[in-house]
């Protein structure tokens, strides 16, 4: 029996208490163990992704209890992809944290960081809806502590708002799980896929309510309009490395929608037919529009980036809401792009913050290291706005292509193109105010703020390099995403592995 598939959950779960108990007063030791742990996670995640790349489904049964009664951890192409993306993002966030000394401005940063990783990894790997709820709570509890790291009244107020909105989501999640269990008698995803398909057409009220509640819960996590109100202040006030890590948390909501609404409540299921297009698509288009309008209207750089995250999640959800193999392929490609570009921008916000009195978009003295910082901001803004040649442009073309033959093509094309134009204007305005107008007054005012450290620039540069690689290797990446999508729309091997072959830990794809 292989235990590697549960390692991404267990490793940070062991590291976090070790850091608290054995290295509480030794920040250098905490840093070493955090970085080594994340490097190990990257190695494990890469191995799991390679193992599942041929269509293999990896199953781990805790306590050797077979599904649907036991807890199962399942690795397929989608889950291992998201695990690797999280681990790689965590490495660069950690490097920036160490380089900028953010981890010394409060207590237990590294322990909370590891617990956060544990929750995110578990959410991606679980094969059970109740344990998805459990891992949601683990990552949210850790994020509460990270949100208020280093203190401050504004950060505390944003943290309280963040807690309240997510408690609402958790409550709705429990209601949904109760409704699903009452209707089907199970919460295992593979088992649910079979039982939901057998529900009598005259007895669909309960399961439709549960499906809608789940969609609302995941929409809260993904910050989809009108459930996005918690995100701008929460992400803007959070410490920069925390906000950068939070770039993957909205993707947990998107992942959950893809997983649940392709396997359990798929387009072929009559009891929830039309739910995706009727509810999700209008909300996604509104999120995209409002997010990019927020970029144009923002008066502070941190809020500008927070609204850009809402807009980019709107783009992801537009592709998801179409629920075709082509659109899911586009959604997955854009998900990777959105995660990397959002994290990069949040770290650049902190680079700017170190050399300015505040983050208002007003003319102030030139910040130290402005040449390199402005170049990085320019590249990240191009990526987020979706301009060529970076991956944002490629991702938007894929989304537009996926929508071309649909009944809603005109609306999707109009909103995507207009929102891109608005984003370009918003980022151009911010960049000119931060760097161009600052250069114009540099001769009159001397800025004595310390320059960012080399390690901070290495972390931001690494994320930008990943964005460039995501663009250069768009062909192979897209082919892999298409394979992920094909597996999602053919859940038979997943279901067979989880339910029909207890004790057998993998089911290869036909032909392998």
């Amino acid at each position: 029996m292989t235990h590697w598939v549960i390692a991404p959950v267990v490793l940070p779960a062991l590291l976090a208490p070790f850091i608290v108990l054995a290295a509480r007063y030794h920040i250098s030791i905490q840093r070493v163990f955090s970085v080594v742990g994340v490097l190990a996670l990257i190695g494990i995640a890469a191995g799991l992704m390679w193992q599942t790349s041929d269509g293999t489904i990896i199953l781990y049964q805790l306590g050797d209890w077979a599904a649907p009664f036991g807890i199962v951890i399942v690795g397929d192409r989608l889950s291992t992809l998201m695990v690797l993306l999280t681990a790689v993002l965590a490495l660069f966030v950690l490097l920036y944290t160490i380089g900028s000394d953010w981890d010394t401005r409060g207590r237990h940063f590294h322990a909370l960081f590891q617990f956060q990783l544990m929750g995110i990894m578990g959410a991606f790997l679980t094969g059970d809806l109740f344990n998805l709820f459990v891992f949601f709570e683990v990552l949210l509890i850790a994020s509460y502590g990270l949100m208020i790291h280093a203190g401050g009244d504004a950060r505390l107020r944003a943290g309280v708002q963040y807690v309240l909105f997510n408690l609402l989501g958790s409550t709705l999640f429990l209601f949904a799980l109760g409704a699903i269990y009452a209707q089907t008698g199970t919460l295992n995803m593979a088992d649910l896929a079979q039982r939901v398909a057998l529900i009598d057409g005259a007895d669909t009220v309960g399961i439709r309510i549960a499906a809608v509640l789940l969609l609302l819960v995941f929409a809260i996590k993904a910050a989809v309009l009108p459930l996005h109100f918690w995100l701008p202040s929460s992400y803007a006030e959070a410490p920069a490395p925390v906000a950068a890590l939070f770039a993957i948390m909205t993707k947990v909501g998107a992942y959950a929608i893809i997983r649940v609404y392709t396997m359990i409540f798929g387009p072929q299921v009559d009891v929830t037919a039309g739910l995706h297009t009727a509810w999700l698509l209008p909300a996604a288009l509104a999120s995209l529009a409002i997010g990019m309008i927020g970029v144009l209207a923002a008066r502070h750089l941190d809020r500008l980036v927070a609204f850009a995250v809402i807009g980019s999640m709107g783009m992801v959800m537009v592709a998801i809401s179409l629920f075709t193999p082509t659109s899911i392929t586009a959604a997955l490609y854009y998900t990777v792009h959105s995660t990397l570009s959002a994290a990069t921008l949040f770290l650049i916000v902190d680079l700017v913050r170190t050399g300015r009195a505040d983050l208002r978009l007003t003319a102030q003295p030139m910040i130290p290291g402005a040449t390199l910082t402005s170049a990085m901001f320019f590249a990240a803004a191009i990526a987020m706005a979706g301009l060529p040649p970076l991956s944002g442009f490629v991702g938007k073309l894929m989304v537009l292509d996926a929508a071309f033959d649909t009944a809603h093509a005109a609306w999707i094309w109009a909103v995507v193109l207009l929102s891109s134009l608005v984003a370009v204007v918003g980022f151009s305005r911010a960049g000119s105010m931060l760097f161009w107008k600052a250069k114009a007054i540099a001769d009159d005012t001397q800025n004595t703020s310390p320059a960012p450290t080399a390690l901070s620039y290495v972390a931001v540069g690494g994320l930008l390099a990943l964005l460039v690689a995501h663009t250069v290797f768009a062909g192979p990446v897209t082919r892999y995403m298409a394979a992920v999508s094909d597996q999602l729309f053919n859940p038979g091997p997943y279901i067979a592995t989880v339910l029909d072959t207890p004790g057998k830990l993998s089911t290869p794809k036909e032909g392998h």
Side-chain angles (χ1 to χ4, degrees):
M1 178 186 292
T2 176
H3 297 266
W4 287 112
V5 71
I6 201 173
V9 181
V10 173
L11 180 58
L14 294 177
L15 273 177
F18 174 82
I19 289 172
V20 171
L21 296 175
R24 182 184 306 178
Y25 304 109
H26 305 280
I27 189 64
S28 58
I29 297 177
Q30 294 180 35
R31 290 173 170 177
V32 169
F33 275 94
S34 282
V35 172
V36 171
V38 170
L39 287 173
L41 278 179
I42 292 175
I44 294 169
L48 292 173
M49 187 172 171
W50 177 82
Q51 188 175 353
T52 60
S53 63
D54 63 352
T56 298
I57 310 293
I58 310 171
L59 175 68
Y60 184 86
Q61 300 167 334
L62 275 74
D64 206 25
W65 283 86
F69 308 105
I71 298 173
V72 293
I73 299 295
V74 187
D76 64 354
R77 286 178 176 136
L78 176 60
S79 58
T80 55
L81 167 68
M82 299 305 293
V83 166
L84 180 60
L85 176 62
T86 303
V88 171
L89 174 66
L91 175 63
F92 291 103
V93 170
L94 263 183
L95 292 178
Y96 188 90
T97 301
I98 295 169
S100 60
D101 283 333
W102 261 109
D103 54 347
T104 63
R105 305 182 196 183
R107 302 183 64 186
H108 307 308
F109 178 91
H110 290 282
L112 290 169
F113 189 88
Q114 294 296 326
F115 275 128
Q116 177 91 344
L117 290 180
M118 171 195 170
I120 296 172
M121 299 297 191
F124 288 141
L125 290 169
T126 185
D128 184 277
L129 280 181
F130 182 77
N131 287 296
L132 179 62
F133 167 79
V134 171
F135 284 119
F136 268 15
E137 295 309 299
V138 171
L139 70 89
L140 289 173
I141 290 171
S143 67
Y144 300 154
L146 291 173
M147 263 290 301
I148 60 174
H149 180 76
D153 292 341
R155 191 165 292 148
L156 182 60
R157 285 194 299 270
V160 170
Q161 179 184 358
Y162 177 78
V163 169
L164 291 177
F165 267 93
N166 281 284
L167 284 177
L168 172 63
S170 299
T171 304
L172 291 177
F173 204 167
L174 281 177
F175 288 161
L177 294 180
I180 291 173
Y181 192 80
Q183 190 83 10
T184 64
T186 185
L187 291 175
N188 180 276
M189 294 185 196
D191 199 25
L192 276 171
Q194 293 187 333
R195 298 197 185 195
V196 168
L198 298 176
I199 293 177
D200 192 298
D203 188 28
T204 62
V205 175
I207 202 68
R208 284 186 68 86
I209 292 174
V212 171
L213 285 176
L214 278 181
L215 191 59
L216 288 175
V217 171
F218 300 149
I220 291 175
K221 309 299 182 186
V224 176
L225 199 89
L227 305 171
H228 70 292
F229 296 107
W230 60 272
L231 190 147
S233 59
S234 299
Y235 279 38
E237 297 297 341
V242 175
L245 182 64
F246 282 7
I248 195 67
M249 284 181 56
T250 50
K251 309 310 182 295
V252 176
Y255 166 86
I257 291 176
I258 292 174
R259 177 68 73 190
V260 170
Y261 292 89
T262 54
M263 177 174 293
I264 302 172
F265 305 116
Q268 76 283 356
V269 178
D270 293 335
V271 298
T272 55
L275 179 65
H276 324 103
T277 304
W279 289 55
L280 191 57
L281 180 58
L285 289 172
S287 299
L288 175 56
I290 294 298
M292 294 314 175
I293 291 172
V295 169
L296 181 61
R299 297 177 179 272
H300 293 78
L301 182 61
D302 48 2
R303 284 189 171 266
L304 180 148
V305 177
F307 276 105
V309 171
I310 294 173
S312 68
M313 280 307 302
M315 179 67 70
V316 171
M317 300 309 295
V318 165
I320 291 175
S321 65
L322 299 176
F323 274 98
T324 65
T326 304
S327 71
I328 295 298
T329 299
L332 294 174
Y333 183 90
Y334 200 88
T335 293
V336 176
H337 156 79
S338 174
T339 302
L340 297 176
S341 57
T344 304
L345 281 169
F346 276 120
L347 296 185
I348 291 173
V349 167
D350 198 61
L351 292 178
V352 174
R353 191 197 312 265
T354 59
R356 287 169 62 95
D358 54 55
L359 289 173
R360 288 181 301 154
L361 295 176
T362 57
Q364 296 184 26
M366 180 71 74
I367 62 173
T371 302
L372 185 54
T373 301
S374 61
M376 289 180 166
F377 177 83
F378 180 70
I382 286 177
M384 181 60 81
L387 292 177
L390 293 180
S391 52
F393 178 72
V394 178
K396 287 188 177 182
L397 283 181
M398 293 174 64
V399 174
L400 293 175
D401 180 63
F404 187 76
D405 293 326
T406 67
H408 308 281
W411 281 102
I412 294 172
W413 275 64
V415 174
V416 169
L417 295 177
L418 289 175
S419 64
S420 298
L421 176 61
V422 172
V424 170
V425 175
F427 277 108
S428 299
R429 166 180 165 266
S432 63
M433 189 64 68
L434 291 171
F435 304 109
W436 187 11
K437 292 189 177 181
K439 183 177 178 61
I441 66 172
D443 295 335
D444 302 326
T445 308
Q446 184 66 32
N447 192 329
T448 59
S449 302
T453 63
L455 188 56
S456 299
Y457 281 123
V458 167
V460 178
L463 289 173
L464 286 173
L466 289 176
L467 279 172
V468 173
H470 194 49
T471 308
V472 172
F473 297 102
V477 171
T478 301
R479 286 192 291 273
Y480 184 83
M481 299 307 185
V484 175
S485 181
D486 289 342
Q487 190 175 56
L488 287 169
F489 283 90
N490 178 30
Y494 184 107
I495 296 170
T497 300
V498 174
L499 296 180
D500 298 338
T501 56
K504 184 178 179 182
L505 297 181
S506 65
T507 298
K509 187 180 180 182
E510 293 183 7
H512 293 271

